[in-house]
Amino acid sequence: MGKWIKTRPKGEGESAQEACAPTSGKDELKIEKEAFEKIKGIISPRLGIEISHFDMISSISAVKRRSLLSKETTYEVNVDIEIPGEEGQMPEELENEIADALETIGSSLVKVIPSVKLHPMDKAKLDQLMSQHAFSPQDGSIPVLAVASGKGGVGKSSIAVNLAAAYAAMGKRPGLIDADVYGYSLSSMLGISERPRTVDSMLIPASAWGIKAVSLGMFAPDNKPILWRGPRLSRAFSQFINKTLWGDIEILIIDLPPGTGDMMISCAQMLPSSACLLVTTPQVSASLVASRSAVAFSKFNEKILGVVENMSFSDGEGKREYPFGKGGGEKAAEIVSKAAGRQVPLLAQIPLDSDISMLCDEGRPAILNEDGSLRSTPLAHLFSSLAEKIDGLIKADKIL
């Protein structure tokens, strides 16, 4: 019989497989390694994280059994999984998914009989892992992008949602915070109706379309208004940052409320390495108001990444129209460049597109197909290009 025994949580830079010490025969070890490869990427329904990434695979052992009546070799594969939670809260769907994955190991001459056992994770180990996986805004290892505007009604939320969706369609793992407490909308735009869970005092983000998201709207029943003042707003934002198990996200996007109030100040103070993406409309007078938030960010020495002009134009019957005028994006970029002391580019001009409102009302980002893949539309191409430009700026060390 072979066994992989976890003796400790994974060390820094160590893979889950390396944290297992094989003590098996050659044939058993081969089955055990294959079993690990089959189950390591399974997502914990409770945490929204791969079970290997959170050190939940306690042991894998294979027992070889030969039949005297056939040439087939049978392996009984025993897998122990440690689950953060109580004994009565073991997720049956996770157990079934692991068993189904193990059954695919077999061949014409090899049969696998899976045996999966779930048990609660030790509290000390859970606390240690929670500490390891907590989001650390100070180290700047994960890019943080604040989508902001000094003016309301410019479409910040649709920009934030579709930008996150573009990253997800590109194979990245985005996180999304709805910091617009009074005008929360991201949960409905993503089709999320369930309330986020908590494990060991940590908030577990909801997940949809490959995006991990938190919003006060997920806690407000029946479209209830939020009647909070400054200190409470700051505490809520702090919990979204510091008490949320974001896991292995690769970028965190924050949809800020309009203006230069408490949430913007909290974001700038708590996330000193964040960058600001300014959203405006084409109307020049509107861009003067919209640019105030980016100018305020610059007072905190935050990076101003660029400007997105939303509702720039409308294409209909072969003729391009500009219902809100022209020049607002360029004007905002000019104002912000002066405040930042460097050239801030106009990164994208997003058209008026009925898909944005219709599909968001259905709970689907406008640039995604029903299966989560990127649509073949000009709008989808624009957001994909915007995401690539942001990635390029990050890789060029203009943010980090």
Side-chain angles (χ1 to χ4, degrees):
M1 182 174 74
K3 198 170 187 71
W4 290 1
I5 303 175
K6 287 280 179 65
T7 58
R8 63 195 184 286
K10 298 189 300 299
E12 185 175 351
E14 184 179 34
S15 70
Q17 187 169 346
E18 289 169 339
C20 298
T23 59
S24 313
K26 181 179 179 181
D27 293 339
E28 290 91 342
L29 181 58
K30 180 180 178 182
I31 293 295
E32 290 166 3
K33 286 184 174 180
E34 191 170 350
F36 179 83
E37 291 299 321
K38 291 287 186 180
I39 69 173
K40 68 178 183 180
I42 291 176
I43 304 295
S44 163
R46 175 164 295 153
L47 301 180
I49 297 174
E50 294 179 0
I51 59 174
S52 62
H53 188 75
F54 203 71
D55 203 39
M56 293 166 61
I57 305 173
S58 177
S59 67
I60 301 174
S61 64
V63 182
K64 182 189 289 186
R65 305 191 187 282
R66 290 192 179 277
S67 172
L68 297 176
L69 302 178
S70 76
K71 296 180 180 180
E72 185 179 68
T73 300
T74 299
Y75 289 91
E76 181 181 318
V77 178
N78 303 290
V79 176
D80 287 336
I81 303 292
E82 294 180 288
I83 301 293
E86 302 298 328
E87 187 72 52
Q89 300 176 342
M90 299 296 101
E92 184 179 348
E93 64 268 31
L94 177 60
E95 182 178 351
N96 294 336
E97 188 174 359
I98 292 172
D100 291 343
L102 293 174
E103 287 179 350
T104 65
I105 295 174
S107 65
S108 59
L109 296 178
V110 175
K111 180 180 179 182
V112 167
I113 301 174
S115 174
V116 182
K117 294 181 180 179
L118 308 183
H119 53 91
M121 184 176 286
D122 176 76
K123 181 67 164 57
K125 178 180 177 179
L126 176 58
D127 289 343
Q128 182 181 355
L129 286 168
M130 286 293 185
S131 177
Q132 288 177 1
H133 288 269
F135 183 73
S136 180
Q138 302 298 328
D139 64 11
S141 60
I142 298 174
V144 178
L145 186 66
V147 180
S149 180
K151 183 172 177 59
V154 299
K156 287 183 290 70
S157 296
S158 65
I159 296 296
V161 165
N162 283 286
L163 181 59
Y167 276 116
M170 291 163 59
K172 287 186 174 290
R173 297 181 293 273
L176 184 59
I177 292 177
D178 187 353
D180 193 349
V181 173
Y182 304 128
Y184 58 82
S185 60
L186 295 192
S187 51
S188 61
M189 293 172 74
L190 291 170
I192 297 172
S193 56
E194 72 272 15
R195 186 186 178 106
R197 300 180 297 276
T198 58
V199 173
D200 198 40
S201 78
M202 294 288 281
L203 187 68
I204 309 301
S207 184
W209 307 104
I211 303 166
K212 291 183 179 181
V214 292
S215 168
L216 274 178
M218 299 173 184
F219 301 91
D222 302 320
N223 203 34
K224 182 180 177 180
I226 304 295
L227 304 176
W228 288 359
R229 301 185 74 177
R232 198 168 183 184
L233 295 175
S234 182
R235 287 197 297 272
F237 187 74
S238 178
Q239 180 169 10
F240 285 169
I241 296 295
N242 300 306
K243 288 291 185 178
T244 299
L245 192 66
W246 287 106
D248 56 351
I249 62 170
E250 294 173 287
I251 186 169
L252 181 62
I253 299 171
I254 302 174
D255 178 26
L256 287 174
T260 56
D262 292 302
M263 278 301 198
M264 190 228 76
I265 295 171
S266 294
C267 180
Q269 291 176 335
M270 293 183 196
L271 300 165
S273 62
S274 62
C276 172
L277 182 68
L278 175 67
V279 180
T280 186
T281 55
Q283 191 175 3
V284 172
S285 60
S287 71
L288 297 176
V289 180
S291 60
R292 290 174 192 160
S293 62
V295 173
F297 260 100
S298 69
K299 301 295 183 182
F300 291 89
N301 295 318
E302 299 287 320
K303 315 296 191 303
I304 312 302
L305 177 64
V307 176
V308 171
E309 185 185 85
N310 197 23
M311 298 179 264
S312 297
F313 55 86
S314 175
D315 286 330
E317 299 181 0
K319 182 182 179 182
R320 176 162 293 187
E321 298 180 347
Y322 301 88
F324 299 113
K326 293 181 183 182
E330 289 88 348
K331 184 63 177 178
E334 178 187 332
I335 295 170
V336 176
S337 295
K338 185 176 180 180
R342 65 176 181 85
Q343 187 63 39
V344 175
L346 175 60
L347 294 174
Q349 292 177 298
I350 308 298
L352 279 167
D353 192 315
S354 60
D355 281 352
I356 293 179
S357 58
M358 287 193 304
L359 292 179
C360 280
D361 285 347
E362 295 175 9
R364 169 158 57 109
I367 66 169
L368 297 183
N369 292 307
E370 291 184 0
D371 63 358
S373 61
L374 198 67
R375 298 176 69 195
S376 298
T377 63
L379 183 68
H381 176 74
L382 275 172
F383 275 101
S384 179
S385 176
L386 176 60
E388 289 173 355
K389 288 178 182 178
I390 292 170
D391 266 357
L393 290 170
I394 292 172
K395 291 174 182 176
D397 292 327
K398 292 187 178 179
I399 299 178
L400 299 181

